[in-house]
Amino acid sequence: DEEEADADADADAEDDAAEEQGDDEGTDEGNDARKALQPIDVDKARKLLKTMQEAPQKVLTTNQEPNPAEILTSLSIIQEGQKELEKQATLARMSCELLKAAVEHLNVEDPKVKDDPPPQAITDVIRQVRLQVFGTDSEERQLGPDPEELEEECRRLEELIASQERDVEEYKKQQARSRKVAIALQIRKD
């Protein structure tokens, strides 16, 4: 029981340190966005749930009359676990809401709404997702060729097509002349 209490105290201290560090990073909205985008630690949740289930079983499976201190300890383990799981569920809900809002912002077609700057949390979410998808140099990296290069390539292709159309017309004229000459020669022979 003492080992579990020490482990819980260490985990709480780590959480408190992480929260304190997060508070120095900027606005609460930005911190919420960062917290909400943290992946949910399913293994940690499973271990916590297992601990919550084992704590009362230890008290109930003893052959002796349960000690009130042991009962209170097991209840406090269950309460702490429940608080942690509720906190993770809240963060998961926040994450879903932020991601939905970011997607809605990116998909807005109304020019009046599109020009409005999004809240900082949504901007942070979009920035973090871009970093996750494209890496750290996403701003410098372009997705596809430069628009000016495409325009130049289109002009070159249009000129090439026009040149080929002229060549085809010239070839057709030569073919027609050749046929006329062949017909004229055949008529003279006959």
Side-chain angles (χ1 to χ4, degrees), residues 42-94:
V42 177
D43 291 332
K44 181 180 175 183
R46 284 185 182 141
K47 287 177 186 177
L48 189 58
L49 195 57
K50 185 178 178 183
T51 303
M52 289 170 60
Q53 292 171 345
E54 289 175 351
Q57 292 300 324
K58 286 181 183 178
V59 174
L60 296 174
T61 57
T62 60
N63 293 335
Q64 304 170 2
E65 183 69 25
N67 183 346
E70 290 175 347
I71 294 171
L72 289 175
T73 302
S74 69
L75 288 174
S76 70
I77 290 172
I78 292 170
Q79 285 179 334
E80 290 298 318
Q82 184 176 358
K83 284 180 188 176
E84 181 63 29
L85 291 175
E86 287 174 357
K87 180 179 168 185
Q88 286 186 7
T90 301
L91 287 175
R93 256 186 251 106
M94 284 175 48

Side-chain angles (χ1 to χ4, degrees), residues 98-157:
L98 274 173
L99 290 172
K100 283 179 185 177
V103 168
E104 287 174 7
H105 172 74
L106 292 173
N107 289 331
V108 168
E109 294 182 11
D110 185 8
K112 294 177 185 175
V113 177
K114 197 167 196 158
D115 292 340
D116 293 341
Q120 184 64 34
I122 291 176
T123 304
D124 290 346
V125 167
I126 293 170
R127 186 178 309 117
Q128 285 186 352
V129 170
R130 280 184 181 150
L131 284 173
Q132 290 172 357
V133 172
F134 300 117
T136 56
D137 62 345
S138 64
E139 297 298 325
E140 299 167 11
R141 212 169 85 192
Q142 284 188 328
L143 300 176
D146 183 29
E148 293 172 359
E149 290 176 8
L150 286 176
E151 287 178 15
E152 181 63 33
E153 183 68 21
C154 286
R155 274 187 242 121
R156 279 185 275 171
L157 289 173

